[in-house]
Amino acid sequence: MGRKEMVAMLLAGGEGKRLGVLTKDLAKPAVYFGGKYRIIDFTLSNCAHSGIDTVGVLTQYQPLELNRYLGIGTPWGLDRRDGGMAILPPFVKQKGGVWYKGTANAIYQNMGFIERYDPEYVLIISGDHIYKMDYDLMLQHHKRSRADVTIAGIQVDWKEASRFGVMHVDDEDRITAFEEKPKNPTSNIASMGVYIFTWKALQKYLIYDEGNRNSTHDFGKDLIPAMMRDGLRLHSYPFKGYWKDVGTIESLWEANMDLLDDSSPLNLHDPSWRIYSVSPNRPAQFVSETAELSSSIVTEGCMLQGKIDSSVLFYGVTAERGSIIKESVVMPNVVIGAGAQIYRAIIGEGAVIQAGVVIGDPDDDAITVVAVEQYVTSDHDLLEVEQP
């Protein structure tokens, strides 16, 4: 194996409980997004554009569909012998095996994979965020500041800050304080869950953390605070672009709706930074003479006879005559029956909404979620539907 300057470790084992029925049988990074993508496509495309050719993907919860989708990494240029993509589930060792106990423990269990490439730096990233970022620019920042760890940070709304690890940063981007999901945050600079570690420092603290019985083996809760206490050089890399943690129904819906803004901060049409994915081989969409279409994303294989407004439709969606879809996200191969009405909803893959059924309320801000392959025949069935 050739030596690599930096190896990426992509944490993709999240259960995604806050996405409810959408992740009942699916790992969160494999959830559909934006008409033709999966969430994990964004992080992997960032790696491709940043010149990173060695990525370990750490899976755990419901990995089958995610593993099938990733294959050998061809869409992202990771189908190579020297490096490339490696799927890294928990595995049984001679002395037994355990599930990943936390983000730090997941990396600890795969130190052997990292050591094969003898890197100077290790990039830790997550498979459940939507953003475009050049990790090479972050690496240059890390080198210039001679940091032991650099954490990408972004300013978030104060009311959202308690969902994240938050940092206090001085004029030279040095991190002076770090709190993981504080109840009363004193900073709104949030950790994006993107870390660059100098490998020797990370290796030392992974071993130390694994031996600490009081640790939860998490980067934000344990490893980063331990490094701060010991006086290591921790720096922030300020990020100014679009970034969204799509770990809740509301944020997933909002991120899809953001794409429909004429001045969307997330430009998916930039030829210099394409988002690569595994695309289905479907015929072009068909829009009949009875259809009305406005401010929407419609992908291959859709058959539209109804009214579609401010919505994102994935491949293979059928919207029959008289149906209305408004401010909704409709995942692949969904059938919307004649006269059915969908307002502010996320419809799971393969669901069937029978004729005349009404989902959501045009005068209500609630987001309704229909499960994957759910068959909705009447309003009675909506008792089974999630309304966060």
Side-chain angles (χ1 to χ4, degrees):
M1 292 291 175
R3 188 176 187 204
K4 302 290 181 181
E5 182 182 30
M6 185 161 75
V7 168
M9 301 294 277
L10 199 167
L11 298 164
E15 187 173 347
K17 287 182 179 178
R18 293 177 300 168
L19 288 177
V21 292
L22 295 178
T23 49
K24 180 173 177 287
D25 300 305
L26 189 67
K28 184 163 57 169
V31 169
Y32 291 98
F33 177 80
K36 61 181 299 162
Y37 307 104
R38 309 271 188 147
I39 296 171
I40 198 171
D41 288 336
F42 287 80
T43 314
L44 288 172
S45 297
N46 289 342
C47 288
H49 290 296
S50 303
I52 296 169
D53 63 11
T54 306
V55 181
V57 181
L58 286 71
T59 62
Q60 178 156 285
Y61 173 79
Q62 294 287 8
L64 289 179
E65 174 64 13
L66 178 61
N67 291 354
R68 185 197 66 78
Y69 179 75
L70 294 176
I72 59 172
T74 302
W76 309 278
L78 294 170
D79 51 342
R80 56 181 67 215
R81 290 181 182 276
D82 183 16
M85 177 187 288
I87 307 293
L88 302 171
F91 58 93
V92 177
K93 303 176 184 177
Q94 193 169 3
K95 295 180 181 178
V98 293
W99 287 108
Y100 295 145
K101 294 176 285 186
T103 52
N105 172 258
I107 304 299
Y108 172 84
Q109 287 199 42
N110 289 285
M111 281 171 53
F113 171 79
I114 299 172
E115 287 166 351
R116 289 166 67 188
Y117 299 99
D118 190 24
E120 275 193 69
Y121 309 102
V122 174
L123 170 70
I124 310 290
I125 43 183
S126 173
D128 52 9
H129 299 147
I130 302 294
Y131 66 115
K132 298 195 295 186
M133 181 179 184
D134 190 337
Y135 301 131
D136 187 58
L137 294 179
M138 183 175 171
L139 177 59
Q140 302 315 314
H141 182 88
H142 180 82
K143 290 177 179 177
R144 282 194 302 273
S145 59
R146 302 191 309 280
D148 295 297
V149 56
T150 299
I151 303 174
I154 190 168
Q155 285 196 319
V156 296
D157 194 302
W158 277 96
K159 66 176 187 259
E160 293 281 309
S162 60
R163 284 179 53 201
F164 307 106
V166 296
M167 304 176 274
H168 287 262
V169 179
D170 67 17
D171 293 339
E172 296 180 344
D173 294 324
R174 186 151 186 175
I175 300 169
T176 57
F178 184 94
E179 296 177 278
E180 179 68 11
K181 298 180 181 176
K183 286 186 177 178
N184 300 299
T186 55
S187 167
N188 70 332
I189 301 175
S191 164
M192 294 167 60
V194 178
Y195 310 98
I196 291 180
F197 289 90
T198 298
W199 170 230
K200 287 182 180 175
L202 176 60
Q203 189 177 31
K204 173 184 173 183
Y205 276 84
L206 286 173
I207 294 167
Y208 164 78
D209 179 76
E210 187 63 22
N212 180 359
R213 292 187 176 184
N214 297 319
S215 176
T216 60
H217 309 296
D218 183 84
F219 278 111
K221 292 177 185 173
D222 307 290
L223 216 78
I224 300 298
M227 288 180 154
M228 289 213 65
R229 284 194 301 270
D230 292 349
L232 272 65
R233 293 179 65 88
L234 279 76
H235 278 253
S236 171
Y237 176 68
F239 181 71
K240 304 296 184 187
Y242 181 93
W243 177 81
K244 195 96 167 180
D245 177 348
V246 286
T248 65
I249 291 296
E250 292 85 350
S251 61
L252 179 64
W253 179 85
E254 286 168 3
N256 276 281
M257 293 300 107
D258 285 345
L259 298 175
L260 305 178
D261 189 332
D262 287 342
S263 55
S264 173
L266 182 63
N267 178 12
L268 298 184
H269 299 276
D270 180 359
S272 69
W273 202 278
R274 291 177 57 196
I275 304 302
Y276 301 108
S277 68
V278 180
S279 294
N281 186 10
R282 296 290 184 100
Q285 65 267 40
F286 173 73
V287 181
S288 81
E289 62 181 3
T290 63
E292 296 179 45
L293 191 59
S294 59
S295 299
S296 296
I297 292 172
V298 179
T299 324
E300 306 102 306
C302 289
M303 302 281 288
L304 307 180
Q305 294 178 295
K307 182 177 180 180
I308 319 297
D309 179 29
S310 303
S311 294
V312 175
L313 273 57
F314 287 77
Y315 59 84
V317 171
T318 298
E320 295 180 358
R321 189 183 293 260
S323 61
I324 296 173
I325 304 172
K326 185 175 177 63
E327 295 184 328
S328 295
V329 179
V330 185
M331 293 186 177
N333 301 320
V334 167
V335 176
I336 311 289
Q341 300 176 39
I342 316 290
Y343 301 101
R344 290 177 68 89
I346 299 178
I347 312 297
E349 180 178 10
V352 176
I353 314 299
Q354 275 213 328
V357 171
V358 177
I359 292 176
D361 183 336
D363 300 319
D364 190 344
D365 286 343
I367 299 163
T368 306
V369 185
V370 174
V372 172
E373 297 184 356
Q374 184 173 353
Y375 202 84
V376 182
T377 59
S378 68
D379 291 349
H380 175 74
D381 292 332
L382 296 182
L383 297 173
E384 310 259 334
V385 169
E386 288 196 351
Q387 287 190 303

